[in-house]
Amino acid sequence: MAATPAVGASAAAAQVTVDPSAERQTIRGFGGMNHTLWISDLTPAQRDTAFGNGEGRLGLSVLRIPVHENRADWSREVATARRAVEYGATVIASPWNPPAQMVETFVHGDQSNARRLRYDMYGAYAQHLDDFYRFMRDNGVNLYAISVQNEPDYAHDWTWWTPSEMVRFLRDNAGSIGTKVIAPESFQYVKSFSDPILNDAGALANLDILGAHLYGTPFQNFPYPLFKERGRGKELWMTEVYHPNSSDSADLWPQALDVGEHIHRALVDAEFQAYVWWYIRRSYGPMREDGRISKRGANMAHFSKFVRPGYVRIDATSNPQSNLYVSAYKGGSKVVIVAINKGTSAVSQPFTLVNNTSSSVSSWLTDASRNLEPRGAINVSNGSFTSELPARSVTTFVTG
């Protein structure tokens, strides 16, 4: 009979091989939403915590803001967006409703007062989106992209669109918008909403970023073969989620590790280029209401602080054993590895970096009692090193 490992001993795991020559998607960044009509704006100190990348900061590199239907509210989003830009962040924007004069009501299922954009207002709506882009540009924020509609398929409280309406707008009107265009931002990455865009050459020509939300989307639905086939030259962004819920504290542990796994799967299984949370500051978000980084935020920061815009995901053994998730990225001469151990035992994990001449790796750890704690350097010999991954933890490694 095999001997029982001593309590606290590290289990050995299959080797993780990281191959920097096997490039996947370019990462655009990690971020969150600021919506000043629904919750109060980030304070100056909170902006620095969100978008700065020093100790005790999240290192977010994407800010999402709303395109308010009333122009008088546009200026509300400028201050935080300008500070994010000063930190080098990318800013995107999404509308919930067109201006009221562009909307009509209709019957949608059991909803008698559902809203949709009037068909004779498509051109005016494109002008509205372009006006917002120009307003922000004139106020020091050069929007990277603007969305056609937030969650057009889950719009009981805002404006509905059908896939054919979205295709029509993209094909006939979106080309007049002065920045990149995001669509469709389905609430659950519903492929039947985006398939028609990918299958219409005219609509696809005016789409720059296929945006998706991942509310309740099962992991097996993360891959999108049709996008890989038809979306060449387009970007793929996850533009909104909270996970696993909005009811629990973001400091609940080990539940917060679910965020680390979710980001891993969004990048590895779905091959998204960006991962954007819902509210940046919220009881269930990466920043607590008191401005401190939460446990969920620490999981996010293991990616956002180290996998910077322009880094490229590279091949790595992604699931060397049950409950262990590994992904890797490169930027210049650096290689970044993020390892999430959701298991209840520590793991002694060997890593091999193909054709890598680094002599050491630095690492940072988050577990039940620590948040992004720096650990001692680990020697690398012939591209290989071994590190203990504590039970229920996330570790980021960066080559020297």
Side-chain angles (χ1 to χ4, degrees):
M1 192 169 82
T4 302
V7 175
S10 298
Q15 179 171 277
V16 167
T17 300
V18 178
D19 186 357
S21 70
E23 297 186 354
R24 298 301 174 178
Q25 76 271 30
T26 299
I27 303 300
R28 298 299 182 198
F30 304 85
M33 182 82 192
N34 195 49
H35 194 311
T36 65
L37 277 181
W38 292 350
I39 64 171
S40 58
D41 197 1
L42 297 177
T43 67
Q46 290 165 358
R47 294 166 191 155
D48 293 341
T49 298
F51 299 102
N53 201 22
E55 186 175 347
R57 296 184 172 185
L58 281 165
L60 300 183
S61 50
V62 177
L63 170 65
R64 183 172 178 241
I65 60 174
V67 182
H68 297 299
E69 56 198 89
N70 297 319
R71 290 174 183 242
D73 293 322
W74 287 0
S75 60
R76 301 171 62 102
E77 307 303 331
V78 169
T80 290
R82 287 178 66 171
R83 188 61 174 145
V85 168
E86 289 171 1
Y87 276 112
T90 296
V91 183
I92 62 172
S94 297
W96 270 249
N97 291 299
Q101 70 272 17
M102 299 183 191
V103 174
E104 64 184 5
T105 58
F106 72 109
V107 176
H108 184 278
D110 59 1
Q111 187 179 5
S112 60
N113 62 341
R115 282 172 283 189
R116 69 182 172 206
L117 180 65
R118 284 170 42 188
Y119 287 1
D120 63 343
M121 287 288 180
Y122 277 35
Y125 183 56
Q127 184 66 57
H128 170 74
L129 297 179
D130 188 63
D131 286 349
F132 183 80
Y133 157 69
R134 293 176 186 279
F135 172 86
M136 295 303 293
R137 183 194 62 188
D138 292 345
N139 282 277
V141 179
N142 196 13
L143 285 180
Y144 183 75
I146 197 165
S147 172
V148 176
Q149 172 66 48
N150 172 77
E151 297 183 352
D153 52 344
Y154 190 77
H156 307 81
D157 296 321
W158 44 86
T159 300
W160 294 96
W161 293 63
T162 65
S164 60
E165 289 166 348
M166 187 72 70
V167 164
R168 175 186 160 183
F169 180 83
L170 286 169
R171 186 183 59 231
D172 297 344
N173 304 99
S176 65
I177 299 169
T179 188
K180 293 180 188 293
V181 173
I182 304 170
E185 289 202 286
S186 163
F187 82 105
Q188 207 168 52
Y189 204 12
V190 175
K191 308 301 194 301
S192 60
F193 208 104
S194 45
D195 283 354
I197 298 170
L198 294 169
N199 287 322
D200 187 291
L204 186 59
N206 288 330
L207 176 75
D208 300 287
I209 301 171
L210 196 150
H213 299 178
L214 293 179
Y215 288 110
T217 311
F219 293 141
Q220 64 263 29
N221 290 355
F222 276 26
Y224 197 178
L226 186 65
F227 178 82
K228 295 197 79 166
E229 176 189 339
R230 300 283 175 85
R232 196 168 291 109
K234 310 298 181 181
E235 296 186 49
L236 184 64
W237 285 43
M238 198 292 295
T239 55
E240 185 190 311
V241 79
Y242 52 74
H243 184 82
N245 57 46
S246 61
S247 54
D248 291 333
S249 163
D251 287 318
L252 193 61
W253 193 266
Q255 188 201 70
L257 277 172
D258 290 351
V259 173
E261 182 190 355
H262 198 256
I263 297 173
H264 166 91
R265 290 182 179 270
L267 300 177
V268 174
D269 298 354
E271 298 189 82
F272 284 113
Q273 297 175 261
Y275 186 97
V276 183
W277 195 266
W278 179 226
Y279 291 131
I280 293 171
R281 187 199 67 230
R282 211 62 172 163
S283 62
Y284 54 85
M287 184 189 299
R288 303 181 345 180
E289 291 290 357
D290 63 5
R292 294 173 59 193
I293 295 173
S294 68
K295 284 291 191 183
R296 290 183 181 182
N299 271 261
M300 198 167 179
H302 271 276
F303 293 88
S304 58
K305 288 177 69 66
F306 305 100
V307 183
R308 303 301 294 169
Y311 278 41
V312 176
R313 187 174 73 84
I314 55 179
D315 272 0
T317 309
S318 62
N319 192 206
Q321 71 175 39
S322 178
N323 290 316
L324 187 57
Y325 304 95
V326 179
S327 60
Y329 313 84
K330 69 176 182 181
S333 61
K334 287 185 178 179
V335 172
V336 178
I337 302 168
V338 184
I340 301 151
N341 180 12
K342 294 187 75 179
T344 56
S345 300
V347 173
S348 179
Q349 180 61 58
F351 297 87
T352 294
L353 287 70
V354 177
N355 295 326
N356 189 280
T357 59
S358 299
S359 59
S360 67
V361 294
S362 302
S363 64
W364 291 260
L365 170 72
T366 294
D367 61 8
S369 60
R370 295 169 283 197
N371 274 12
L372 292 159
E373 181 177 289
R375 310 183 85 190
I378 303 168
N379 290 330
V380 178
S381 177
N382 297 319
S384 296
F385 69 95
T386 298
S387 178
E388 181 180 270
L389 307 177
R392 291 174 168 166
S393 69
V394 52
T395 306
T396 296
F397 302 93
V398 181
T399 61

